[in-house]
Amino acid sequence: MEILVQETVDKMSEVAAKVVAKTLNAKPNCVLGLATGSTPLGLYKELVRMHRDEGLDFSQVTTFNLDEYVGLTKDHEQSYHYFMHENLFKHINIPKQNIHIPSGTTENYEAFCSWYENRIVECGGIDLQILGIGSDGHIAFNEPSSSLGSRTRIKTLAKQTIDDNARFFDSAEDVPIYAITMGVGTIMEARKLLMIANGKAKAEAVAAAVEGPVTSMITASALQMHPHALCVLDKDAASSLKMLDYYDWIQAKMVDAP
Ligand code: GLP
């Protein structure tokens, strides 16, 4: 895994946006996997800026979001549909029909999940998947003990995740208990993975994911098995990494590398 540590969260977002822009410029009809949460907000802001000021073109891009709460309608302010529309889609020139977000209100979840999986394949697979990390080490809503081969399905949220996400709702009781989420296996099929994390609260989860054993107890640790996984961190999120000096050394030496 490549680890890039940035001084600030803004730098983290800028570097992540450059990675997305590079993918998009190299392949204008690329397929992007998108994440929600507070972590990618700066990244989306920067992509919107690049679209506005530099003409970054999303007209041929297709997107697949990682997850959605079960039971929340598209216009619910805490739904991931609403989040994506408000923070990215309404500000860029992506065609509506190219956007895919798991449905939190389908009548038949099993059929929807298999449609979602097939649709990713039909679109050529995900070129770059953006990921955050939960404080319990989850990616998307793949909570501890999720199979590392799992596919898109319904997951019951862990108590820790409900508590973490309660800040966006009126109370913890209002946080949905179930979510529909891409599986770890689905995520691992993306050609490139870009995980971003900031803040002290993520430091232990990041260290476990990057330097701990590969385990379903920290589903982000599956990234260690991916040939093209990049992890961009701010220095607080990187603060529990044992090999921090080595990652900095690699970055410093990269310019001269053969
Ligand atoms: C939720 C999302 C994850 C996200 C995590 C961290 O659980 N399903 O995709 O990575 O929250 O969120 P935040 O970035 O707000 O810390």
Side-chain angles (χ1 to χ4, degrees):
M1 203 185 312
E2 188 182 349
I3 322 287
L4 288 180
V5 182
Q6 303 298 308
E7 268 308 298
T8 63
V9 59
D10 289 346
K11 274 269 157 219
M12 175 203 81
S13 301
E14 264 173 49
V15 170
K18 279 194 185 128
V19 174
V20 176
K22 198 174 159 195
T23 305
L24 217 154
N25 287 327
K27 187 178 175 187
N29 63 346
C30 67
V31 179
L32 297 178
L34 301 176
T36 51
S38 46
T39 312
L41 279 174
L43 158 63
Y44 295 151
K45 218 170 158 193
E46 178 61 5
L47 289 177
V48 169
R49 191 202 60 75
M50 285 171 149
H51 169 66
R52 193 187 53 229
D53 300 346
E54 296 164 16
L56 188 65
D57 180 23
F58 291 84
S59 65
Q60 298 178 62
V61 169
T62 297
T63 63
F64 285 89
N65 263 79
L66 286 169
D67 46 15
E68 177 59 289
Y69 289 113
V70 166
L72 299 196
T73 53
K74 292 180 181 177
D75 56 356
H76 189 290
E77 286 191 16
Q78 295 312 328
S79 76
Y80 289 164
H81 278 79
Y82 188 87
F83 174 100
M84 289 309 303
H85 182 71
E86 287 303 305
N87 293 299
L88 184 65
F89 297 144
K90 80 172 185 191
H91 307 287
I92 59 173
N93 63 334
I94 184 165
K96 259 203 175 96
Q97 66 273 19
N98 292 10
I99 296 169
H100 303 84
I101 304 177
S103 167
T105 53
T106 176
E107 305 241 298
N108 185 341
Y109 279 97
E110 218 178 299
F112 183 88
C113 291
S114 92
W115 175 81
Y116 204 70
E117 289 275 337
N118 290 335
R119 188 75 192 124
I120 295 173
V121 175
E122 253 172 40
C123 293
I126 293 171
D127 291 298
L128 176 69
Q129 174 66 58
I130 294 158
L131 296 165
I133 181 170
S135 63
D136 62 2
H138 72 221
I139 42 174
F141 271 129
N142 293 288
E143 298 289 28
S145 82
S146 290
S147 161
L148 299 184
S150 52
R151 314 300 308 189
T152 303
R153 70 213 182 289
I154 297 226
K155 274 304 286 183
T156 308
L157 301 189
K159 174 89 174 50
Q160 174 77 58
T161 302
I162 292 177
D163 290 347
D164 286 350
N165 292 355
R167 68 189 193 278
F168 299 114
F169 292 81
D170 290 338
S171 73
E173 285 72 54
D174 294 321
V175 183
I177 292 167
Y178 303 105
I180 175 167
T181 179
M182 269 190 213
V184 181
T186 322
I187 293 167
M188 290 291 282
E189 279 170 14
R191 292 181 190 93
K192 285 185 183 166
L193 302 179
L194 167 60
M195 186 165 89
I196 52 177
N198 65 275
K200 276 258 178 239
K202 297 291 173 67
E204 292 310 317
V206 166
V210 173
E211 296 178 334
V214 174
T215 166
S216 65
M217 295 308 287
I218 305 281
T219 51
S221 67
L223 268 69
Q224 294 178 36
M225 305 290 288
H226 196 285
H228 302 291
L230 168 65
C231 187
V232 186
L233 308 167
D234 79 342
K235 65 177 190 324
D236 286 340
S239 59
S240 294
L241 290 169
K242 289 195 186 76
M243 300 292 284
L244 196 50
D245 289 349
Y246 177 56
Y247 310 136
D248 286 343
W249 168 254
I250 294 173
Q251 286 315 309
K253 294 291 159 202
M254 202 160 267
V255 260
D256 306 325

